[in-house]
């Protein structure tokens, strides 16, 4: 039973009114035990002054472990996705193992060993993964992509947002407010969501009859506040400056707001700012930031549901699910 507790399984069984074998299965997390019996063992442990969480093995049974992989530029956007995936995993009796790692040709041998040694049932990937490596991973274990995805794949399912549509909605909103000089602050274009948001941005400019200004379109290598602050300051310091800013993250949008404040540019009177994802930065910023709300919890939950379906039925159809977004208007585009 792992650590010594000062009580025998027989004593716990007597207090719980169950068999010693049931106590053993509960403590070692082996076999299927009715929840009622688990609760009785846990209650008996508490009566004996033992915290059930400390006594019951937290190791998942073989074949019940899902790997959730994240890129190194972790940010608060991922928190709700993880929570959603975990909710689905727990519902189906799986546990979630989180790995923050780049996945590419160089790291694949170690990654392959991890999948085999840990007996991973399947994995959810938020990482950008090249198609050849993606195929190798999918041959080892069922895989679902979340956010970064290949919509043409017939083997790997995905859950994401229609980023082109969401970005075009932002541009239409700017147009409705009479703003045509619009800057675009993005992350790396190696990520599909950033490429799609840029596509929606350019479509919006085209519909307005506006030629893109290359000096107003910046793609930073990572989601980094200081980089975004420096970039926004540089753009807003130009004699011909934009009258609106579309940022692909709320962190970037917050940096734009603070850059404007340093330059005595009023938001929203002189500059409109829209972010993306509706994370905490958008609500704690002053002014609060208009943003595109993405269903982060649902991303994780739906991705895990697709994965478990594939684990339980390897012949399940490949699906590409696009969840809806919503523009939330706040002070950075509306007069207070």
């Amino acid at each position: 039973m792992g650590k010594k507790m000062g009580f025998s399984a027989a004593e716990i069984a007597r207090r719980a009114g169950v068999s010693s074998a049931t106590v053993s299965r509960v403590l070692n997390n082996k076999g299927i035990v009715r929840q009622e019996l688990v609760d009785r063992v846990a209650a008996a442990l508490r009566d004996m002054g033992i915290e059930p969480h400390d006594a019951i093995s937290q190791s998942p049974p073989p074949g019940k472990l899902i790997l959730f992989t994240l890129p190194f530029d972790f940010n608060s956007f991922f928190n709700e996705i993880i929570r959603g995936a975990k909710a689905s995993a727990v519902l189906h009796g799986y546990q979630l193992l989180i790995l923050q790692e780049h996945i590419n040709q160089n790291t694949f041998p170690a990654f392959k060993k991890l999948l085999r040694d840990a007996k991973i049932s399947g994995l959810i990937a938020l990482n950008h993964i090249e198609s050849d490596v993606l195929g190798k991973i999918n041959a080892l274990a069922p895989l679902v992509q979340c956010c970064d995805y290949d919509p043409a794949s017939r083997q790997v399912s995905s859950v994401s947002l229609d980023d082109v549509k969401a970005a075009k909605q932002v541009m239409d909103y700017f147009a409705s407010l009479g703003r045509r000089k619009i800057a675009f602050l993005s992350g790396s274009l190696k990520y599909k969501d950033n490429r799609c948001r840029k596509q929606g941005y350019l479509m919006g400019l085209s519909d307005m009859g506006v030629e893109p200004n290359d000096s107003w379109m910046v793609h930073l290598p990572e989601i980094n506040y200081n980089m975004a602050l420096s970039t926004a300051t540089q753009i807003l310091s130009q004699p011909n400056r934009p009258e609106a800013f579309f940022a692909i993250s709320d962190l970037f949008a917050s940096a734009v707001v603070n850059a404007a404040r340093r330059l005595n540019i009023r938001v929203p009177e002189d500059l409109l700012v829209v972010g993306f994802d509706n994370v905490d930065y958008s609500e704690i910023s002053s002014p609060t930031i208009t943003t595109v709300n993405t269903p982060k919890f649902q991303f994780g939950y739906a991705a895990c549901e697709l994965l478990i379906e594939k684990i339980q039925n390897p012949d399940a159809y490949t699906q590409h699910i696009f969840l809806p977004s919503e523009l939330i208007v706040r002070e950075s585009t509306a007069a207070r």
Side-chain angles (χ1 to χ4, degrees), residues 138 142-144 155 157 305-318:
N138 194 53
L143 166 66
V144 170
Q155 292 183 312
S157 293
E305 289 289 306
L306 284 180
L307 178 62
I308 291 172
E309 180 183 6
K310 194 69 173 178
I311 292 170
Q312 297 176 347
N313 177 18
D315 295 325
Y317 289 112
T318 297

Coordinates of all heavy atoms in Angstrom, one line a residue, residues 138 142-144 155 157 305-318:
N138 N 1.2 9.7 -34.6 CA -0.1 9.1 -34.8 C 0.0 7.6 -35.0 O -1.0 6.8 -34.7 CB -0.9 9.7 -35.9 CG -2.4 9.4 -35.9 OD1 -3.0 9.6 -34.9 ND2 -2.9 8.9 -37.0
P142 N -3.1 7.2 -30.6 CA -4.1 8.2 -31.1 C -3.8 9.6 -30.7 O -3.3 9.9 -29.6 CB -5.4 7.7 -30.4 CG -5.2 6.3 -30.1 CD -3.7 6.2 -29.7
L143 N -4.0 10.5 -31.6 CA -3.6 11.9 -31.4 C -4.7 12.9 -31.9 O -5.4 12.6 -32.9 CB -2.4 12.2 -32.3 CG -1.9 13.6 -32.5 CD1 -1.5 14.3 -31.2 CD2 -0.8 13.7 -33.5
V144 N -5.0 13.9 -31.1 CA -5.9 15.0 -31.5 C -5.2 16.3 -31.4 O -4.5 16.5 -30.4 CB -7.2 15.0 -30.6 CG1 -8.0 16.2 -30.9 CG2 -8.0 13.7 -30.9
Q155 N -6.2 11.5 -40.9 CA -5.8 10.6 -39.8 C -5.9 11.3 -38.4 O -6.3 10.6 -37.4 CB -4.4 10.1 -40.0 CG -4.3 9.2 -41.2 CD -2.8 8.7 -41.3 OE1 -1.9 9.4 -41.2 NE2 -2.7 7.4 -41.5
S157 N -7.6 14.0 -35.9 CA -8.7 14.9 -35.7 C -8.2 16.2 -35.0 O -7.1 16.3 -34.5 CB -9.8 14.3 -34.8 OG -10.4 13.2 -35.4
E305 N -12.7 14.5 -25.7 CA -13.8 13.6 -26.1 C -13.5 12.9 -27.4 O -13.7 11.7 -27.6 CB -15.1 14.4 -26.2 CG -15.7 14.9 -24.9 CD -16.2 13.7 -24.1 OE1 -17.1 13.0 -24.6 OE2 -15.8 13.6 -22.9
L306 N -12.9 13.6 -28.4 CA -12.5 13.1 -29.7 C -11.4 12.0 -29.5 O -11.5 10.9 -30.1 CB -12.0 14.1 -30.6 CG -13.1 15.0 -31.3 CD1 -12.4 16.0 -32.2 CD2 -14.1 14.2 -32.1
L307 N -10.5 12.3 -28.6 CA -9.4 11.4 -28.4 C -9.9 10.1 -27.7 O -9.5 9.0 -28.2 CB -8.3 12.1 -27.5 CG -7.1 11.2 -27.1 CD1 -6.4 10.8 -28.4 CD2 -6.2 11.9 -26.1
I308 N -10.7 10.2 -26.7 CA -11.2 9.0 -26.0 C -12.0 8.1 -27.0 O -11.9 6.9 -27.0 CB -11.9 9.4 -24.8 CG1 -11.0 9.9 -23.7 CG2 -12.7 8.2 -24.2 CD1 -11.6 10.5 -22.5
E309 N -12.8 8.8 -27.9 CA -13.5 8.1 -28.9 C -12.6 7.3 -29.8 O -12.8 6.1 -30.1 CB -14.4 9.0 -29.7 CG -15.2 8.3 -30.8 CD -16.0 9.3 -31.7 OE1 -15.8 10.5 -31.5 OE2 -16.8 8.8 -32.5
K310 N -11.5 7.9 -30.1 CA -10.5 7.2 -31.0 C -9.7 6.1 -30.3 O -9.4 5.1 -30.8 CB -9.5 8.3 -31.5 CG -8.6 7.8 -32.7 CD -9.4 7.6 -33.9 CE -8.5 7.3 -35.1 NZ -9.3 7.1 -36.4
I311 N -9.5 6.3 -29.0 CA -8.8 5.3 -28.2 C -9.7 4.0 -28.1 O -9.3 2.9 -28.2 CB -8.5 5.8 -26.7 CG1 -7.4 6.9 -26.8 CG2 -8.1 4.7 -25.8 CD1 -7.2 7.6 -25.5
Q312 N -11.0 4.3 -27.8 CA -11.9 3.2 -27.7 C -12.4 2.6 -29.0 O -12.8 1.4 -29.0 CB -13.2 3.7 -26.9 CG -12.8 4.1 -25.4 CD -13.9 4.7 -24.7 OE1 -15.0 5.0 -25.3 NE2 -13.8 4.9 -23.4
N313 N -12.3 3.3 -30.1 CA -12.7 2.8 -31.4 C -11.7 3.4 -32.4 O -11.9 4.4 -33.0 CB -14.1 3.3 -31.7 CG -14.5 2.9 -33.1 OD1 -13.9 1.9 -33.7 ND2 -15.5 3.5 -33.7
P314 N -10.6 2.6 -32.6 CA -9.6 3.1 -33.6 C -10.1 3.4 -35.0 O -9.4 4.1 -35.7 CB -8.6 1.9 -33.6 CG -8.8 1.2 -32.3 CD -10.3 1.3 -32.0
D315 N -11.3 2.8 -35.3 CA -11.8 3.0 -36.7 C -12.7 4.3 -36.7 O -13.4 4.5 -37.7 CB -12.6 1.8 -37.1 CG -11.7 0.6 -37.3 OD1 -10.5 0.8 -37.8 OD2 -12.1 -0.5 -37.0
A316 N -12.8 5.0 -35.6 CA -13.7 6.2 -35.6 C -13.2 7.2 -36.6 O -12.1 7.3 -37.0 CB -13.6 6.9 -34.2
Y317 N -14.2 7.9 -37.2 CA -13.9 8.9 -38.2 C -13.1 10.0 -37.7 O -13.2 10.5 -36.6 CB -15.2 9.5 -38.8 CG -16.1 8.5 -39.6 CD1 -17.3 8.1 -39.1 CD2 -15.6 8.0 -40.8 CE1 -18.0 7.2 -39.9 CE2 -16.4 7.2 -41.6 CZ -17.6 6.7 -41.1 OH -18.3 5.8 -41.8
T318 N -12.2 10.5 -38.6 CA -11.4 11.7 -38.3 C -12.4 12.9 -38.4 O -13.1 13.0 -39.4 CB -10.3 11.9 -39.3 OG1 -9.4 10.8 -39.2 CG2 -9.5 13.2 -39.1

